[in-house]
Amino acid sequence: PLCKLLIILSIKTARRRQIVIAFHLILNDLPRQPYYAHARTVLALEIKLLYNINMLRKDPFITGEYYHIYNRGIDKRVIFKSKFDFERFLMLLYIANSSGSFRLDQLINYQHKTFSEILSVDREEKLVSIGAWCLMTNHFHLLVRQEVEGGITKFMKKLGTGYSMYFNIKHERKGALFGGLFKSKLIGVDDNYL
């Protein structure tokens, strides 16, 4: 419908504040009679989904392109305190890079898989190709190529959530581990990454 087209165009061209105002105007234009209640609910859910997918990043990720991805601990906090923390992150790099869901703690605690066994577990479709990685005590860098639409975002969500949950439980802490959304830079032909 026209409303959906208007929303998609708004998301790609407008700023966050303008989009929120546009959403309210579109929703308020629909009559509040019971007949339109379902249409209003569906439209509101579609708006929320489109907003979440498209507004997290200023520039959307392009499938087939390489990106430098990086993030650091909140307040420059140490995010890797031991050798096992580094290994856990590496295992998550492998396991999170799949279109399917996973539970790394089940592989480790219940199936008693070792580090090398986890790195050979069969996965579903890969979300990204990892060209290089560098783990420092308070931050990390990844060189990735997006393989499927939305792959980098899904991969980083799985990676960040999985590692944050592990780290918070292991070190008996609460709250955010990373300093906001991960940062990214499209790697161009003139860059010296490759």
Side-chain angles (χ1 to χ4, degrees), residues 1 3-4 26-27 30-47:
C3 292
K4 206 182 260 189
I26 291 168
L27 287 175
L30 288 173
R32 295 197 180 273
Q33 298 158 351
Y35 175 77
Y36 293 100
H38 178 71
R40 289 173 57 83
T41 304
V42 170
L43 184 59
L45 291 173
E46 288 178 1
I47 288 170

Side-chain angles (χ1 to χ4, degrees), residues 176-194:
L177 177 62
F178 297 109
L181 288 175
F182 64 92
K183 286 73 173 172
S184 64
K185 181 181 184 300
L186 175 64
I187 298 173
V189 289
D190 294 334
D191 295 326
N192 293 321
Y193 287 99
L194 300 176

Side-chain angles (χ1 to χ4, degrees), residues 92 95-98 100-107 158-159 162:
L92 281 167
I95 294 293
N97 190 11
S98 166
S101 61
F102 68 93
R103 290 290 307 255
L104 186 55
D105 62 329
Q106 288 182 350
L107 293 174
K158 287 180 174 184
L159 179 66

Side-chain angles (χ1 to χ4, degrees), residues 166-177:
Y166 153 78
F167 190 88
N168 285 350
I169 290 169
K170 181 178 179 190
H171 299 287
E172 299 176 349
R173 64 178 297 275
K174 294 181 180 180
L177 177 62

